Amino acid sequence: MKRAIVIILVILLVAGGGAGGLMMMGVIPNPFNPTPVGPALTGAEKAAAELAARKFKPPAAALELIKVDDMIVPVIMEGRVTRRVFIIARLQVKSAVDVKEVESKVRVYQDAALSDLVPFFQKYYVDNASVDAEIVKTRLTASAKKVYGDLVLDVLLINVFEQASPGSR
């Protein structure tokens, strides 16, 4: 009797797993999650619809990006440089008309960003072990808004990483 119960349980387990797998692969319809029935498509129509869904849609216009020279922010703690934070970023400008005006103030932007980041990192690294890219992007965007106003849409953070200074560890 015990054997019969065990055999029946094993058969139910295997059958249920097989039916579930067939439902997941779409071989048999899933009665618990019925899909709406659409028009029947032939193989060629299905392939064409799939290609249309995956087709690359180019942007309406090229992004206007201004290169900002790479910034190296020293982290000064206890009177010495303990590490350096390297930042590579680009400024996204509203239109091509604004490019010259933004390019003329890139040095002012860098100065404002560094003036903001140097004291920030002194306090930040007291509690944190590594740099957070989101916080850096937020600070850079705030500096861009102060310097440029609405001319700059966004700051694209290409890379941010830190390096320990020699002899600091």
Side-chain angles (χ1 to χ4, degrees):
M1 183 67 183
K2 289 182 182 179
R3 272 190 193 162
I5 292 175
V6 171
I7 291 172
I8 290 172
L9 287 175
V10 169
I11 289 173
L12 287 174
L13 182 66
V14 170
L22 291 174
M23 281 187 248
M24 293 298 291
M25 291 188 293
V27 175
I28 60 173
N30 185 350
F32 304 108
N33 187 15
T35 57
V37 178
L41 299 176
T42 64
E45 290 172 335
K46 283 183 185 178
E50 194 174 307
L51 270 175
R54 288 189 294 154
K55 186 177 179 185
F56 174 72
K57 295 174 183 76
L63 290 177
E64 295 293 336
L65 298 177
I66 308 296
K67 183 180 185 314
V68 177
D69 291 337
D70 300 347
M71 292 185 274
I72 302 172
V73 184
V75 180
I76 303 168
M77 299 179 82
E78 299 173 6
R80 60 188 174 93
V81 177
T82 58
R83 66 183 81 195
R84 293 179 191 96
V85 178
F86 294 83
I87 300 172
I88 303 170
R90 305 287 182 267
L91 300 173
Q92 183 181 358
V93 183
K94 270 185 172 180
S95 66
V97 176
D98 302 327
V99 169
K100 293 291 183 197
E101 186 176 347
V102 172
E103 283 179 340
S104 69
K105 293 183 182 178
V106 168
R107 297 285 182 218
V108 175
Y109 167 70
Q110 280 185 308
D111 184 46
L114 288 173
S115 297
D116 177 51
L117 289 174
V118 169
F120 169 73
F121 280 136
Q122 285 177 336
K123 295 174 188 165
Y124 176 80
Y125 278 109
V126 170
D127 298 327
N128 300 295
S130 63
V131 66
D132 185 2
E134 288 183 36
I135 293 173
V136 172
K137 179 180 169 58
T138 303
R139 307 287 295 203
L140 291 174
T141 304
S143 295
K145 293 296 180 187
K146 285 180 189 173
V147 173
Y148 296 113
D150 291 336
L151 293 177
V152 172
L153 295 175
D154 195 13
V155 175
L156 303 176
L157 192 58
I158 307 295
N159 198 357
V160 59
F161 61 94
E162 63 185 63
Q163 178 186 33
S165 292
S168 66
R169 289 189 182 199

